[in-house]
Amino acid sequence: MAREKWGTKLGFMLAAMGSAVGLGNIWRFSFVAGNNGGGAFLILYLLFVVLIGVPLLLTEVSIGRKAESDVIGSFKKLAPKTPWYLTGFFGIASAFLILSFYAVVAGWAMFYFWNYINGSFFTSPDVGYEGAFGQFISHSWHPIIWTALFMTLTIVIVLGGVKRGIEAANRIFMPLLAVLMIVLAFFSLSLDGASEGMKFLFTPDWSALSDPSIYIAALGQAFFSLSLGMGAMLTYGSYLKKENKLPSATLGIGLMDTFFAVISGIVIFPAVFAFGIDPSSGPPLVFITLPTIFEQMPFGGVVGLIFFFALVLASLSSSVSILEVPTAYFMRAFGWSRFATSVLMGSIMFVMGIGVSLGFGVWSGVTPIGDLGILDSMDYIASNILLPLGGLSMALLVGWFLKKSEALEATDLSNSPIGGFWHFIVKYLAPILIVIIFLNAVGLLSVIFPFL
Ligand code: TRP
């Protein structure tokens, strides 16, 4: 059976942008930035996107296009008779970890959308939004229904195997989300006390850089936000035709993704300070901040409705790219049908998601890593460890295993003035930075280099 292909390059671009832009830009970016001191985090994150993220995005897509296979098959094809393909299992593992909590949070967003439809969020609930949200997520089955709904939608799109639906929807909803975010940013900036939020986001407190955890947090956010290191972009790249050029496409994806992250910071943080919300509230941060903004806004009920609708669609276009990673692998490796594979994978992730959801209720005392709860622990392992390791493996494959001429050809950089620069980043800079950040996070850097 011939492998599926995108209809057009634009189809690929939209699907890849859809993958990149999602809850990571709005929900995850805000709470991770809030936890890590704001401005200094933003600068590090932007630095990593430019220095590591976009070059590795190009690398990852090019591996998929060259090998025309899934995350494990591609390593087997490009580095035959080596154990390299084993690193592909980092990608499969991170897909399970990430989608099982992603579906829970996207379920929360769907619940919010529903509340704007039925009007119950047009006025503040008796217990305030923070209280109402806390009651909702700690309920034993209510949020799980929404997780199930979101996962079902994801599976339905993936088992269709046709990207037309989501591509077409993204064509409308991504621009709409962008416009809404800009409107919200201006509104948020007009609030009393907004300047404190802007200061938090744009005036770096350099002392935050002395905490080693900020580097790994910024690296993890760059990977998560760009959908990097799992093999999602690799798998999408494998459906590309050879004649589609990659460098401009990946740059476009990087710019778009960064735009959404920065603008959502401009929406969230002025409001956080104006309404006296704690910037380090963790995962619930935007779910408390946003309805408070909408309540203050003229026509906020309608804006909230459209906003959460667009957010759910952005989440769906991301979640399908995650489910596609194990689906593509198991289909090829075991010869299963797309239908059976996507339903099975999605169901396993849903069951894991039940645990994530209960982590905000009856299992709130469960802290697998340090004082991190279930969602935060899964996110930490997947985003801060598995994704960078996956990216490291891809960088080493293209930088060291392939000949330079092969690498440049695979990325359409053979005749480009930036080809040498890109190759230097992928061969040396990105791997070294990733290793240093890891050593730093586990406290080994200062052991190996005592003078630091
Ligand atoms: N990038 C998406 C977001 O920001 C999430 C996502 C989709 C993802 N595919 C991925 C994250 C692959 C890591 C790896 O919401």
Side-chain angles (χ1 to χ4, degrees):
M1 199 178 76
R3 261 180 90 74
E4 295 157 79
K5 291 279 175 217
W6 301 109
T8 59
K9 181 181 174 188
L10 183 67
F12 161 75
M13 290 275 294
L14 287 170
M17 283 181 183
S19 170
V21 176
L23 290 169
N25 304 68
I26 296 171
W27 161 75
R28 196 179 188 281
F29 174 80
S30 313
F31 90 76
V32 178
N35 275 339
N36 287 283
F41 173 86
L42 178 64
I43 295 208
L44 270 187
Y45 161 75
L46 292 176
L47 199 71
F48 292 161
V49 165
V50 174
L51 280 185
I52 306 179
V54 174
L56 282 194
L57 186 59
L58 178 57
T59 308
E60 179 168 340
V61 176
S62 77
I63 293 176
R65 188 183 60 168
K66 185 172 167 67
E68 290 185 282
S69 190
D70 52 88
V71 61
I72 290 172
S74 292
F75 284 119
K76 278 194 170 155
K77 218 174 211 168
L78 297 190
K81 304 195 184 66
T82 70
W84 215 303
Y85 71 94
L86 292 173
T87 63
F89 287 104
F90 293 146
I92 304 285
S94 59
F96 278 93
L97 288 171
I98 291 180
L99 193 46
S100 45
F101 70 75
Y102 204 87
V104 171
V105 180
W108 298 348
M110 285 180 92
F111 172 72
Y112 268 47
F113 170 57
W114 173 242
N115 276 294
Y116 279 101
I117 291 191
N118 72 17
S120 55
F121 261 25
F122 290 4
T123 52
S124 174
D126 317 330
V127 284
Y129 291 112
E130 187 162 5
F133 182 67
Q135 281 172 10
F136 166 65
I137 58 171
S138 59
H139 194 275
S140 53
W141 53 263
H142 193 188
I144 294 174
I145 304 279
W146 293 97
T147 308
L149 202 61
F150 182 81
M151 197 53 110
T152 307
L153 290 175
T154 304
I155 294 172
V156 166
I157 295 167
V158 170
L159 68 80
V162 187
K163 276 71 179 181
R164 287 287 159 218
I166 202 93
E167 279 176 36
N170 270 306
R171 233 191 191 108
I172 302 167
F173 283 96
M174 295 262 277
L176 185 65
L177 191 65
V179 171
L180 277 181
M181 292 297 282
I182 294 170
V183 172
L184 284 177
F186 277 107
F187 184 76
S188 197
L189 286 173
S190 75
L191 297 166
D192 283 338
S195 59
E196 216 182 316
M198 292 304 275
K199 245 176 51 205
F200 179 76
L201 193 59
F202 292 110
T203 316
D205 168 11
W206 298 117
S207 69
L209 295 181
S210 60
D211 183 350
S213 64
I214 188 177
Y215 299 90
I216 193 130
L219 184 74
Q221 177 59 23
F223 271 83
F224 189 98
S225 186
L226 290 169
S227 301
L228 209 59
M230 176 192 285
M233 291 297 189
L234 183 156
T235 307
Y236 272 13
S238 76
Y239 305 135
L240 265 176
K241 300 192 186 94
K242 293 278 185 227
E243 65 265 23
N244 301 135
K245 295 282 170 274
L246 300 185
S248 56
T250 43
L251 189 65
I253 296 165
L255 283 175
M256 177 91 149
D257 191 61
T258 308
F259 164 79
F260 273 96
V262 172
I263 196 97
S264 68
I266 300 178
V267 172
I268 303 296
F269 289 107
V272 161
F273 285 89
F275 302 129
I277 299 164
D278 176 8
S280 58
S281 307
L285 183 67
V286 295
F287 290 93
I288 306 165
T289 313
L290 286 169
T292 316
I293 303 179
F294 294 134
E295 189 181 316
Q296 308 280 320
M297 262 184 112
F299 307 106
V302 184
V303 178
L305 190 152
I306 304 172
F307 178 88
F308 280 105
F309 188 54
L311 184 62
V312 169
L313 271 161
S315 311
L316 258 181
S317 60
S318 300
S319 63
V320 295
S321 75
I322 304 178
L323 183 55
E324 183 66 18
V325 172
T327 301
Y329 165 64
F330 282 95
M331 276 173 68
R332 177 192 58 81
F334 297 91
W336 298 344
S337 71
R338 178 170 275 279
F339 184 92
T341 316
S342 52
V343 172
L344 180 66
M345 299 301 133
S347 305
I348 298 173
M349 291 161 175
F350 168 67
V351 172
M352 292 167 66
I354 295 177
V356 174
S357 189
L358 295 179
F360 291 93
V362 288
W363 287 352
S364 60
V366 181
T367 53
I369 305 181
D371 60 354
L372 299 179
I374 297 179
L375 186 154
D376 288 297
S377 299
M378 289 167 67
D379 179 33
Y380 192 93
I381 296 173
S383 312
N384 294 2
I385 300 173
L386 294 176
L387 296 181
L389 281 180
L392 180 63
S393 168
M394 294 174 199
L396 294 178
L397 181 87
V398 171
W400 294 85
F401 195 85
L402 296 188
K403 289 199 222 60
K404 186 172 177 186
S405 58
E406 284 176 314
L408 290 175
E409 202 205 314
T411 45
D412 303 322
L413 285 175
S414 297
N415 301 314
S416 162
I418 58 162
F421 183 54
W422 166 81
H423 194 255
F424 169 78
I425 291 186
V426 168
K427 185 163 185 170
Y428 300 105
L429 189 67
I432 290 173
L433 276 178
I434 293 174
V435 170
I436 289 182
I437 293 167
F438 271 149
L439 291 177
N440 191 31
V442 293
L444 275 178
L445 199 62
S446 51
V447 177
I448 304 175
F449 303 106
F451 48 87
L452 283 178

